[in-house]
């Protein structure tokens, strides 16, 4: 009803403008006729009287202007009404990379329990970001003994209080989302998700043992099998993570939405299909925002990352745009 009133108002204003324009033109023409034009004395020849043929031309011009405005107003009303009447639902928006943006109505999500849908939509962005870290950063770290201390810190608990430590990064970004999503899924998918979770935890345990006690600032003898064992543990974790993604894609009916990690090799980046430069830029700006805000904002930022509501307050690309690349 509001749209129809707006259309009628526009038409009313257009018709009023047409009448004002027409009457204004007529008044101006009458003024031009009544005004005396003083010419220099050199123009001694008498001024010719206006021909009768000129008047129809002026009237025709005024009529044409009025007809054009009235036609424009009527076409606006009719055209807008036709547009609203024939309007179709807009197609799903696509991200810059061409991937369609999905929501709770996409794929098989309407058939899943509400809690499963909520958990999936909440954790799909952080899970893909965690997979990017796994392939772009952790894969390089396990091949360099100087980075073994940082690898070990990923699994170590932080902030111990009363004999209990906080969740490590591996637990926070990988294991906990797997556990939460698995508990919310139907039984036919929950068992496979649980198996993938346990396999990933075993792989991270092997990675911890392979890198334990090796740090850049500690002069210790490094076992020659340390790097091969760390890479083997990384590979087992990759397979477990891929199994988890495949199960989730099947449960949601969104094939390929969560990108599996290809095996190591020269074609890995091409097969993965995600941009490492975009990842590095995203992580760099996120760290800058955390540092500017201090510990309080940093803790709140972590909650925003998990809930999928990371905003572009420091030039950081929105998670939705980063996810659908």
């Amino acid at each position: 009803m509001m749209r129809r009133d707006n259309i009628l108002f526009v038409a009313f204003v257009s018709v009023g403008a047409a009448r004002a324009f027409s009457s204004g033109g007529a008044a101006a023409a009458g003024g031009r006729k009544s005004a005396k034009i003083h010419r220099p004395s050199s123009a001694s020849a008498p001024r010719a009287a206006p021909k009768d043929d000129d008047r129809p031309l002026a009237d025709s011009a005024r009529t044409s202007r009025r007809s054009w405005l009235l036609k424009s107003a009527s076409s606006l009303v009719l055209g807008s009404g036709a547009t609203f009447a024939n309007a179709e639902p807009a197609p799903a928006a696509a991200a810059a990379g061409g991937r369609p943006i999905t929501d709770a109505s996409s794929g098989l999500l309407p058939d899943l329990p509400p809690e499963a849908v909520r958990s999936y939509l909440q954790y799909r962005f952080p899970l893909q970001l965690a997979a990017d870290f796994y392939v772009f950063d952790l894969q390089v770290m396990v091949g360099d003994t100087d980075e073994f201390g940082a690898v070990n810190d990923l699994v170590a608990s932080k902030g111990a209080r009363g004999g209990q430590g906080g969740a490590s990064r591996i637990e926070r970004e990988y294991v906990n989302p797997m556990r939460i999503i698995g508990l919310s899924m139907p039984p036919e998918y929950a068992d496979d998700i649980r198996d993938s979770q346990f396999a990933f935890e075993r792989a991270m345990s092997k990675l911890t043992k392979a890198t334990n006690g090796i740090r850049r600032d500690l002069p210790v003898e490094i076992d020659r099998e340390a790097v091969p064992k760390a890479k083997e543990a990384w590979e087992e974790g990759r397979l477990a993570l891929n199994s988890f993604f495949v199960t989730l894609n099947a449960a949601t009916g969104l094939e390929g939405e969560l990108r599996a990690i290809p095996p190591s090799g020269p074609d890995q980046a091409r097969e993965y299909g995600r941009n490492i430069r975009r990842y590095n830029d995203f992580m760099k700006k996120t760290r800058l925002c955390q540092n500017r805000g201090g510990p309080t904002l940093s803790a709140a930022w972590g909650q925003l990352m998990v809930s999928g509501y990371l905003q572009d307050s420091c030039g950081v690309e929105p998670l939705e745009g980063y996810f659908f690349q």
Side-chain angles (χ1 to χ4, degrees):
M1 188 64 184
M2 185 63 68
R3 292 181 178 176
R4 183 177 179 183
D5 293 342
N6 292 337
I7 295 170
L8 293 178
F9 175 76
V10 172
F12 176 77
V13 173
S14 301
V15 174
R19 293 178 179 175
F21 187 89
S22 174
S23 60
R32 285 195 299 271
K33 290 180 181 179
S34 61
K36 294 181 180 180
I37 301 176
H38 299 279
R39 297 182 180 274
S41 58
S42 60
S44 58
R47 185 165 57 111
K51 298 180 181 180
D52 294 338
D53 295 342
D54 294 338
R55 296 174 183 174
L57 290 176
D59 295 339
S60 176
R62 291 195 297 271
T63 305
S64 299
R65 287 194 297 271
R66 184 174 182 181
S67 301
W68 180 83
L69 289 172
L70 290 173
K71 183 178 180 181
S72 300
S74 62
S75 63
L76 175 63
V77 176
L78 295 177
S80 300
T83 302
F84 291 131
N86 298 328
E88 296 180 357
R99 294 179 60 190
I101 297 177
T102 58
D103 53 23
S105 63
S106 303
L108 300 177
L109 286 175
D111 300 332
L112 294 176
E115 187 62 30
V117 176
R118 190 179 305 111
S119 299
Y120 174 75
L121 294 179
Q122 177 180 353
Y123 287 105
R124 61 176 179 171
F125 295 166
L127 278 171
Q128 189 65 70
L129 183 61
D132 291 345
F133 169 79
Y134 198 89
V135 65
F136 293 140
D137 285 341
L138 186 57
Q139 181 177 207
V140 179
M141 295 165 67
V142 297
D144 185 0
T145 54
D146 287 342
E147 298 291 340
F148 277 15
V151 172
N152 221 278
D153 290 340
L154 296 174
V155 188
S157 299
K158 301 293 183 180
R161 293 180 181 178
Q164 293 182 352
S168 66
R169 181 173 180 179
I170 293 296
E171 292 174 339
R172 186 172 62 252
E173 298 184 4
Y174 297 88
V175 178
N176 287 344
M178 288 181 178
R179 182 182 298 112
I180 293 172
I181 293 178
L183 292 173
S184 64
M185 284 289 175
E188 59 268 24
Y189 301 111
D191 293 340
D192 293 336
I193 291 176
R194 190 179 300 109
D195 292 342
S196 300
Q197 173 196 333
F198 292 159
F200 185 82
E201 289 182 285
R202 288 192 297 268
M204 293 301 99
S205 179
K206 291 182 179 180
L207 182 61
T208 303
K209 292 178 181 179
T211 59
N212 190 27
I214 303 176
R215 289 185 175 272
R216 183 184 306 175
D217 53 349
L218 291 179
V220 297
E221 184 179 357
I222 301 176
D223 185 1
R224 65 177 62 183
E225 296 295 326
V227 171
K229 288 181 179 179
K231 290 184 175 181
E232 181 181 352
W234 180 90
E235 177 66 16
E236 292 182 12
R238 180 189 74 85
L239 295 176
L241 196 59
N242 287 350
S243 175
F244 172 67
F245 283 178
V246 169
T247 303
L248 269 188
N249 289 339
T252 60
L254 303 174
E255 183 178 358
E257 175 157 285
L258 291 173
R259 297 282 185 88
I261 302 175
S264 302
D267 297 332
Q268 185 186 56
R270 178 181 58 81
E271 294 175 1
Y272 189 44
R274 297 182 64 82
N275 196 322
I276 186 173
R277 293 183 180 178
R278 201 165 173 179
Y279 165 77
N280 289 332
D281 183 69
F282 183 88
M283 298 303 296
K284 177 182 177 181
K285 291 182 177 179
T286 301
R287 284 192 293 267
L288 286 175
C289 280
Q290 292 175 346
N291 294 335
R292 291 171 185 168
T296 303
L297 181 58
S298 178
W301 199 277
Q303 295 298 324
L304 293 174
M305 288 283 289
V306 171
S307 60
Y309 289 105
L310 179 64
Q311 300 298 321
D312 189 15
S313 57
C314 293
V316 182
E317 180 181 9
L319 271 176
E320 185 176 82
Y322 179 80
F323 179 75
F324 292 104
Q325 61 176 284

